[in-house]
Amino acid sequence: MCNLYSMNRTQDELRGLFAGRRVDDRLGNLGAGEEVYPDQGAPIARVSGADIVLQSARWGMPSPKQYHSKSGIDRGVTNIRNTASPHWRRWLGPEHRCLVPLTAFAEPLGRGRGNVWFRFPQDVTPMFAGIWVESWTSLRKLKDGETTDNLFAFLTTEPNAEVAEIHPKAMPAILTEPDEREIWLHAEWGEAKKLQRPLRDGVLRVGSPS
């Protein structure tokens, strides 16, 4: 399960990924590229009318209530596989879909042995197929009390050949082509759900996160 990725693109580079579209940049001053862990903020891209909105959101969609702790803490769901679940179906329309830019992602080796990082060729622009929800109030940490946040997570699917050697159960659903991004952001679910599929074999390279 992918619970660590890196995003090293600049704000200008992110805006440039949507050439020909009007981009509403709400990221503020995006810091230097860094590794992203669950419950941290990270850039996402979503649609608002004819615009592409770039904004930050917190990694971890709302969990089903049965997975909240006894004290009511909801630590969030980072990876979503079962899109047939009623819990997720309400957020599968275009208004709740987003793209999550990345430059590399990690899969754990297990038993404290660290992570394997998967990178992409320079001519490939990867984005996770994500979903998001706006202004969700929940208890993430007792010390913070209830907070209201924009939240996101991304879909997972069967692993391709490279990932299966490390993590045989799943990998993130990753989009690499402009037409895939358009389908994910705009199409009805019957078409968009076909993108919850493994990345083609031979694209990924094992290496460092940057």
Side-chain angles (χ1 to χ4, degrees), residues 6-203:
S6 67
M7 205 301 289
N8 295 327
R9 295 186 184 277
T10 68
Q11 221 161 325
D12 283 343
E13 287 174 328
L14 290 178
R15 288 191 291 263
L17 296 177
F18 301 96
R21 299 286 296 273
R22 188 168 59 185
V23 177
D24 180 1
D25 185 349
R26 303 180 188 178
L27 288 170
N29 293 319
L30 183 65
E34 59 182 23
E35 296 176 5
V36 182
Y37 291 86
D39 208 38
Q40 290 184 345
I44 65 170
R46 64 176 179 87
V47 169
S48 177
D51 294 353
I52 294 290
V53 177
L54 294 175
Q55 66 175 79
S56 292
R58 193 172 182 174
W59 187 12
M61 284 287 284
S63 305
K65 286 188 176 180
Q66 63 265 33
Y67 297 111
H68 295 189
S69 73
K70 291 182 180 179
S71 55
I73 294 174
D74 175 11
R75 299 196 182 280
V77 176
T78 57
N79 293 212
I80 298 166
R81 182 71 173 268
N82 181 17
T83 53
S85 164
H87 181 75
W88 301 119
R89 283 204 302 262
R90 56 183 150 167
W91 292 316
L92 296 179
E95 69 276 13
H96 287 291
R97 289 190 222 132
C98 67
L99 301 167
V100 184
L102 72 145
T103 48
F105 69 96
E107 293 289 358
L109 285 167
R111 298 185 181 180
R113 293 186 294 146
N115 299 296
V116 171
W117 282 92
F118 293 95
R119 299 183 61 189
F120 299 80
Q122 289 192 354
D123 61 346
V124 172
T125 302
M127 294 194 185
F128 294 128
I131 61 174
W132 80 293
V133 63
E134 186 175 18
S135 300
W136 186 270
T137 300
S138 61
L139 180 63
R140 293 292 167 121
K141 299 178 181 178
L142 280 177
K143 66 182 181 67
D144 295 339
E146 285 192 338
T147 61
T148 300
D149 306 279
N150 298 323
L151 305 174
F152 80 93
F154 47 77
L155 304 191
T156 60
T157 185
E158 296 83 7
N160 69 355
E162 293 83 54
V163 176
E165 293 183 6
I166 305 300
H167 194 276
K169 293 185 178 180
M171 72 173 293
I174 298 172
L175 312 179
T176 60
E177 302 296 334
D179 61 336
E180 293 176 335
R181 299 200 294 262
E182 287 298 305
I183 290 170
W184 183 250
L185 290 176
H186 296 284
E188 294 300 317
W189 179 241
E191 184 177 3
K193 69 179 180 181
K194 298 174 185 177
L195 296 173
Q196 190 180 11
R197 64 192 181 196
L199 191 65
R200 65 188 184 277
D201 295 341
V203 175

